[in-house]
Amino acid sequence: MSERTSLVYRSAAGYELLMRVLYGRHYAARMRAVAGEVPNGASVLELCCGPGTLYLRHLRGRTADYVGIDVNQRFVDRLRRRGVDARRLDLAAPATERQPLPSADAVILQASLYHFLPDAEGILDRMLAAAREKVIVSEPVRNLASSHVPIIARLGARAADPGVGGHAQRFTEESLEALMARYRERLLRSFPIPGGREMVYVLAPSPADRSGTAGGP
Ligand SMILES: C[S@@+](CC[C@H](N)C(=O)[O-])C[C@H]1O[C@@H](n2cnc3c(N)ncnc32)[C@H](O)[C@@H]1O
């Protein structure tokens, strides 16, 4: 764990509490919307899974397999203690140090695409390579870090710092739409979560996406 990991990321409970304070009912609404895109019995790979809220509260008991990946050792350890297959991996590591992602029916990334800017396509391509059926991305387009209320802006900025960099830039509705336009042939649907703070994109991989980088099951 990096020395400069923000306080917010030092405790799963603290992180979840902050999310609830900052996002209120929209935090759960987003999780429900994303979970609603995952078919019963599907295997799931979640990148940047954080404290595993999606799995623990919305998927457990109805999915076949779940693997959560995060760079935060505390989140990973806590999930492993709860019997979840959580793995520590820096998904922004240079290409030469990258391990292939495990394959799954549904590959999910929530509120974390901005960590990979300016190369957001790189992580989307890796997700498409690992996905057998769908890629689900939910991303904030109205960001608390740019709030006009100073305390909210500070908390929002803290909440975005995982301690490995990659949190300086954010998406707007326009920049996310421009990125996703490059995947328009794979787009199954897109919709805002209740409250409009985040957009959900559901993509279907094409056979060409799977050639090369995905790992075994
Ligand atoms: C804003 S949180 C979102 C957590 C969770 N997806 C959610 O919606 O509650 C971002 C997460 O991405 C993780 N993360 C950031 N950069 C990462 C990287 N390079 N590799 C793996 N995980 C990373 C952080 O540790 C954190 O858990």
Side-chain angles (χ1 to χ4, degrees):
M1 173 74 32
S2 154
E3 285 292 308
R4 57 188 199 82
T5 301
S6 85
L7 269 180
V8 169
Y9 280 95
R10 291 191 189 177
S11 134
Y15 172 81
E16 278 201 298
L17 179 66
L18 182 66
M19 288 301 111
R20 280 171 210 291
V21 169
L22 289 176
Y23 291 99
R25 65 188 186 285
H26 300 313
Y27 184 60
R30 180 243 289 167
M31 297 273 173
R32 278 195 299 275
V34 169
E37 294 295 326
V38 179
N40 287 339
S43 59
V44 173
L45 169 67
E46 186 182 8
L47 306 184
C48 301
C49 64
T53 311
L54 175 72
Y55 177 67
L56 295 172
R57 290 185 203 231
H58 300 276
L59 295 179
R60 188 152 64 172
R62 73 171 188 84
T63 48
D65 289 302
Y66 173 89
V67 176
I69 290 179
D70 203 282
V71 74
N72 185 317
Q73 190 70 57
R74 286 183 173 88
F75 287 168
V76 168
D77 288 346
R78 180 175 179 260
L79 284 169
R80 293 183 76 84
R81 283 197 298 275
R82 300 181 76 171
V84 179
D85 186 350
R87 306 178 191 181
R88 186 187 178 276
L89 206 60
D90 180 358
L91 292 160
T96 48
E97 294 168 24
R98 274 181 206 157
Q99 301 167 26
L101 297 176
S103 300
D105 298 330
V107 182
I108 299 174
L109 182 69
Q110 295 187 91
S112 302
L113 189 59
Y114 67 92
H115 286 302
F116 302 95
L117 285 168
D119 182 28
E121 274 171 301
I123 194 74
L124 289 175
D125 291 346
R126 291 168 74 196
M127 292 174 74
L128 284 162
R132 283 189 283 264
E133 288 176 22
K134 50 169 85 167
V135 162
I136 306 165
V137 175
S138 179
E139 185 66 12
V141 288
R142 283 191 225 149
N143 286 291
L144 295 173
S146 45
S147 168
H148 295 302
V149 183
I151 179 72
I152 298 289
R154 267 203 305 280
L155 285 171
R158 284 281 175 85
D161 181 0
V164 290
H167 59 279
Q169 292 174 268
R170 303 302 179 84
F171 283 98
T172 62
E173 228 166 309
E174 293 72 28
S175 62
L176 186 60
E177 183 56 35
L179 171 68
M180 289 300 180
R182 299 180 206 160
Y183 296 89
R184 71 168 67 85
E185 281 159 16
R186 297 168 182 82
L187 184 66
L188 293 176
R189 62 192 147 273
S190 64
F191 53 90
I193 64 154
R197 237 181 223 155
E198 293 193 24
M199 284 294 297
V200 179
Y201 285 83
V202 185
L203 309 175
S206 77
D209 294 323
R210 290 188 54 74
S211 56
T213 50

